[in-house]
Amino acid sequence: MQKNLVIVESPAKAKTLERFLGKDYKVMSSYGHIRDLKKKEMSVNLDDFSPEYEIPSDKETVVKELRKEAKKAETVWLASDEDREGEAISWHLSQVLGLDPKAAKRIVFHEITKSAILNAIEHPRTIDMGLVNAQQARRVLDRIVGFKLSPVLWRKLKPSLSAGRVQSVAVRLIVEREKEIEDFKSESSYRVSAVFTVDGQPIKATLAHGFKTEAEAEAFLLSCKDKQFTITDIEKKPVKKSPAPPFTTSTLQQEAARKLGFTVSQTMMVAQHLYESGHITYMRTDSVNLSSLCINTTKEEIVKMHGERYSRPRQFHTNSKGAQEAHEAIRPTYISETEITGNAQEKRLYDLIWKRTLASQMADAEAEKTTITIEAKGTDGVFTATGEVITFDGFLRVYRESYDDDTPTEETEGLLPTVKVGESLNMEELVAIQRFSQHPLRYTEASLVKKLEELGIGRPSTYAPTISTIQQREYVEKGDKKGEERTYGILKLSGGKLKKSTKKEVFGNEKGKLLPTDIGTVVNDFLIQYFPEIVDYNFTANVEKEFDEIADGRENWHEMMKDFYGKLEPLIESTLQEKNEHKVGERILGKEPGTGKPISVKIGRFGPMVQVGIADEHEKPKFAQLKKGQSIATITLEEALDLFKLPRTLGEYEGDAVTVGTGRFGPYVQHQKKYVSIPKEVDPMSIELEDAIKMIEERRKSEASSHLKSFEEDAELEVMSGRFGPYLKYKGANYKLPKSVKDPTELTYEACMEIVNAPKPEGKKKGKKA
């Protein structure tokens, strides 16, 4: 009989644990959740909001194995992750394996080290039903929102849309930022800088204020002509720079994006591998706390590497809204481990975590900042020159924090020449450059996480899935915004002469930003109009607080659901009953020349489209899909009419016409009653016959390579090659080949029909996709 069975969430974690536990322990993985709400049903009883769980088909084998081993074990240890999701997994395991939640041995650790695991086994606890209920409340509430709101979107906007509580708020942030940018009016001003010299050494300085117009800037520059500039003040003061706290989930996602170019989900995936391999502590945390053991060992490492002066142990305190779970910050499990074995991504992320942790326990950097004030009698301008000298590098020896591109930073020169008050300066040149105010920057994945955290929306475990979901649902896309060219003015006073010139610059160029799609914008506007609470920032943050109160045992989650659903249901009913003259998001552009038919843009069944005419008994309206880069909010009447210039005939090939048209799935090339989709990056209005023929030939080659074998006995039977390997196709259904088939091209007709007619296991339908 096996003495101990330890159940963890992932095989990688199980492998690491096995290294530390002896032969008396068997470690198995549940591969995440083993029970969940049914996929195609709401699975929530609306009378008391109790969830109806099932074991998904892909988890049946895992559960069977766990049950078998649990029966053989004297003690079952539930060792899933130390957060709400992990607690829920342990509870589901206790239910499925027949363990008493009040007596089940639950062990938790936020680092996979021998001492942490043995300590956890020495101090087991029972399942925390507060955390379980908080997870159930989140799951049930989000399921109700999804299942109740999504049909409203299908009815009012477009089939297959879905709504999510936190996702809808994230989309709102992105849509509102886009609207701020559209409404932004840029203003220009002239900023003045100067180059002075003293004993041949340059001093660069800037004027404390700017000018609204070119005339004002010109007048100021001319007022400085032939003036004597002197130093009126010198201020020197010591400044200190303190290190940033060790990483939380959110700050790791932000810094990995800025420094390593990782996406939010990529950061979490790599961090998960590092945690499960025993290299770092648990990667879902909003705590900046470090254990005393970590602080002491980090001090030893700093003293050994850099000397006593560089060490300054300190403890940080968490300030984020609604911080939960008494974890540590994300840190290396062993600070003495400066490098790890792993792939390139794992090494880079580990190095970032190691440096940030080490720097957090290092001395402040010290610098001397010098500010020189420069003035001239008869002018109303005060120039300042600043310089900074690092006198002690402190934590900067190891790590410098990076910032978002919208974070203001103070510009300082390096070393300034030695000067004294009253000293005269030579004015070499004065330059006034026209500058423009900038619109708010669009969100990156990392800056969106930062905003969600500031608003108290979501938790460490939800940031990455939220950002992935809104992109998968095509409410938001990650892309680039091309800059526009503009001209700016330059005034330059040098050698007593004033010169005017202009230069061109590209502005507004943004890369890798989150952009709302037309569908995302329309869904957001619809939810704000009919379900304002669902997308309200404060409401969403307050729901998170209620989950925290459920976790702490201060609120009953069934009562919370009752209150929430009591407000939601009437809104759904009234919205469904409301008759709309126009579809949500529909915009009338004008009339078609010649016919006078109305032309409108809206979200159709297959996305944004233009419609000519209205549905009536006599004539059906015409439709055209919008091209990439076009939006229902900005498309003009002329651009809409251009979309109806298809179909167009390109010429002939093999005696038949080659035409370009557009349909519900987008633009296509048609030849001999066959269709080839035109790639998104190709403009159907400019495609030539030669390009179309290439596409036709490529399609033929692709189709030929996928047909491995056909049979004279039955034209409907074929051996095909697909993305998952070879399979049989017969009368519109696909059949998987047995593993015993080594060469599919050698299959006889009889052998193929045996596969087609073979009895299927219970619950599986005949002819499923291969």
Side-chain angles (χ1 to χ4, degrees), residues 273-287:
H273 292 164
L274 291 173
Y275 166 66
E276 290 173 348
S277 305
H279 294 309
I280 63 168
T281 52
Y282 193 51
M283 65 287 154
R284 292 192 186 96
T285 176
D286 46 20
S287 170

Side-chain angles (χ1 to χ4, degrees), residues 28 89 103 162 273 290 364 366 374 620 762:
M28 292 181 73
I89 288 171
S162 55
H273 292 164
L290 291 175
D364 292 346
E366 295 170 15
I374 302 162
K620 284 184 179 178
E762 269 189 58

Side-chain angles (χ1 to χ4, degrees), residues 438-614:
Q438 290 189 342
H439 65 65
L441 289 169
R442 292 173 175 90
Y443 288 106
T444 60
E445 284 192 1
S447 64
L448 182 62
V449 165
K450 186 179 177 183
K451 186 67 178 175
L452 289 169
E453 187 181 40
E454 281 172 9
L455 293 169
I457 293 164
R459 289 295 180 259
S461 60
T462 63
Y463 300 135
T466 296
I467 287 170
S468 297
T469 300
I470 60 177
Q471 290 178 69
Q472 285 161 8
R473 289 180 178 169
E474 297 183 350
Y475 293 159
V476 169
E477 60 187 9
K478 200 192 305 187
D480 304 337
K481 274 284 180 183
K482 281 189 178 176
E484 298 171 42
E485 195 174 72
R486 71 179 165 205
T487 303
Y488 64 97
I490 302 170
L491 305 174
K492 187 175 181 180
L493 181 69
S494 180
K497 290 181 181 176
L498 183 75
K499 286 184 182 175
K500 293 185 184 183
S501 61
T502 58
K503 278 190 178 180
K504 288 185 176 177
E505 65 179 356
V506 173
F507 75 97
N509 195 24
E510 293 186 74
K511 289 191 172 181
K513 296 299 175 79
L514 296 174
L515 312 167
T517 62
D518 276 344
I519 293 171
T521 303
V522 170
V523 168
N524 175 72
D525 292 350
F526 177 79
L527 291 175
I528 284 175
Q529 184 179 346
Y530 293 101
F531 299 94
E533 257 204 353
I534 295 293
V535 284
D536 180 77
Y537 301 132
N538 289 329
F539 168 76
T540 313
N542 286 333
V543 168
E544 296 290 352
K545 285 180 189 169
E546 287 192 82
F547 291 151
D548 292 342
E549 286 177 11
I550 292 164
D552 293 339
R554 296 196 307 270
E555 184 170 350
N556 180 294
W557 75 276
H558 292 280
E559 288 300 316
M560 179 204 172
M561 289 297 132
K562 188 178 175 183
D563 182 54
F564 173 80
Y565 189 65
K567 293 172 185 171
L568 180 67
E569 184 66 11
L571 287 175
I572 289 168
E573 288 306 315
S574 63
T575 306
L576 285 172
Q577 286 167 17
E578 191 168 313
K579 297 272 189 284
N580 300 89
E581 195 175 319
H582 294 292
K583 279 193 81 173
V584 179
E586 187 173 355
R587 195 163 70 89
I588 306 295
L589 299 181
K591 293 183 177 178
E592 185 181 37
T595 67
K597 289 177 183 176
I599 297 179
S600 59
V601 279
K602 60 184 173 185
I603 300 294
R605 187 177 177 84
F606 300 101
M609 64 176 194
V610 178
Q611 177 176 318
V612 176
I614 54 171

Side-chain angles (χ1 to χ4, degrees), residues 234-283:
I234 299 171
E235 183 189 21
K236 289 189 177 187
K237 62 175 181 182
V239 289
K240 285 190 175 185
K241 294 180 182 178
S242 298
F247 282 129
T248 61
T249 302
S250 140
T251 54
L252 177 65
Q253 289 169 349
Q254 291 166 50
E255 195 74 334
R258 292 185 291 240
K259 275 193 158 72
L260 309 178
F262 285 8
T263 63
V264 167
S265 56
Q266 185 183 7
T267 298
M268 293 314 289
M269 185 182 71
V270 177
Q272 180 106 23
H273 292 164
L274 291 173
Y275 166 66
E276 290 173 348
S277 305
H279 294 309
I280 63 168
T281 52
Y282 193 51
M283 65 287 154

Side-chain angles (χ1 to χ4, degrees), residues 158-160 474 604-609 623-628 646 660-669 675-682 684 695 699:
K158 170 184 178 292
S160 303
E474 297 183 350
R605 187 177 177 84
F606 300 101
M609 64 176 194
F623 300 100
Q625 298 287 116
L626 265 64
K627 292 194 291 187
K628 188 172 174 62
L646 297 176
V660 174
T662 187
R664 61 182 191 172
F665 300 116
Y668 58 80
V669 168
Y675 299 87
V676 184
S677 289
I678 295 173
K680 283 182 179 178
E681 63 273 11
V682 177
M695 289 168 64
R699 176 67 183 268

Side-chain angles (χ1 to χ4, degrees), residues 369-385:
K369 185 178 178 181
T370 304
T371 305
I372 299 173
T373 306
I374 302 162
E375 296 179 67
K377 282 182 182 176
T379 69
D380 61 354
V382 176
F383 287 88
T384 54

Side-chain angles (χ1 to χ4, degrees), residues 682-696:
V682 177
D683 182 0
M685 299 306 297
S686 60
I687 192 170
E688 300 290 340
L689 178 63
E690 191 181 330
D691 303 317
I693 291 169
K694 272 186 193 172
M695 289 168 64
I696 293 163

